[in-house]
Amino acid sequence: MGCEIERKFLVLDDSWKASVAEKHHLIQGYASPAGKIGTIRFRVIDDERAYLTLKGHSRGIERSEFEYELPVSDVLEMLQQFGNGATIEKIRHIVPAGDFKWEIDEFLSENSGLVVAEIELPRTDASFDRPAWLGKEVSGDRRFGNGFLSQMPFSRWGKDK
């Protein structure tokens, strides 16, 4: 079984940009899941690669995850036929730091202004270096989940952002 152990943080400033090793344009949408599935995601990266991902419900910072690469045309068709009609768009920056790589997402469109850093860990108690640009942890705040952002974009949150 696949497993994702991920922590998510807000980003304080742009100082991370000097360390970007690669970046990708992502468009992703979601289907309405049922039962034990927490998320069904359709993702296209740089119009070149595409994935179907099934994720279980979160248990803290851990959840099951199964991801399958498929032809871009298939994933775009699935998104059209099975998606809930809402998508998110972002630029994902890969920033190496210590033994790990941070994925820093700069959201676009209705989520513009939101910048989130994620780190995938090998175990829930794994330690990692905290870069100076790392802000408040939001791992347990469902508002910062991409599925939620597709339905309730950051620009609509009001003053309690």
Side-chain angles (χ1 to χ4, degrees):
M1 173 172 75
C3 181
E4 172 185 64
I5 300 170
E6 177 181 84
R7 292 181 66 180
K8 190 177 291 198
F9 299 83
L10 297 179
V11 174
L12 296 174
D13 59 41
D14 289 343
S15 60
W16 56 270
K17 288 185 175 183
S19 301
V20 171
E22 59 184 274
K23 70 179 186 175
H24 304 281
H25 178 254
L26 283 71
I27 297 173
Q28 57 193 53
Y30 300 86
S32 298
K36 293 183 178 183
I37 297 175
T39 303
I40 300 170
R41 180 181 68 203
F42 311 101
R43 175 183 277 172
V44 177
I45 302 174
D46 297 330
D47 292 324
E48 297 173 356
R49 297 183 324 268
Y51 300 87
L52 171 65
T53 307
L54 306 174
K55 295 186 179 195
H57 295 286
S58 294
R59 297 174 310 279
I61 60 170
E62 184 175 3
R63 65 180 168 175
S64 59
E65 177 181 59
F66 299 90
E67 185 167 76
Y68 305 96
E69 187 167 5
L70 298 171
V72 171
S73 59
D74 287 3
V75 172
L76 289 173
E77 183 68 24
M78 286 182 212
L79 182 58
Q80 185 69 32
Q81 286 192 31
F82 307 123
N84 62 16
T87 60
I88 62 168
E89 187 176 1
K90 59 189 177 180
I91 304 297
R92 172 162 286 171
H93 304 269
I94 307 300
V95 177
D99 293 334
F100 299 102
K101 288 191 275 186
W102 287 92
E103 294 177 340
I104 301 177
D105 291 338
E106 280 189 293
F107 288 85
L108 305 173
S109 303
E110 286 191 279
N111 287 300
S112 184
L114 179 61
V115 182
V116 175
E118 299 177 353
I119 187 169
E120 289 203 20
L121 301 168
R123 12 174 252 290
T124 57
D125 64 347
S127 62
F128 56 92
D129 294 331
R130 292 176 176 260
W133 43 260
L134 198 63
K136 174 185 172 187
E137 183 165 7
V138 294
S139 298
D141 189 336
R142 70 181 194 92
R143 295 177 305 162
F144 293 95
N146 291 310
F148 184 89
L149 290 168
S150 73
Q151 296 294 309
M152 179 56 72
F154 185 67
S155 63
R156 296 189 209 159
W157 287 12
K159 297 184 186 228
D160 65 333
K161 291 181 184 177

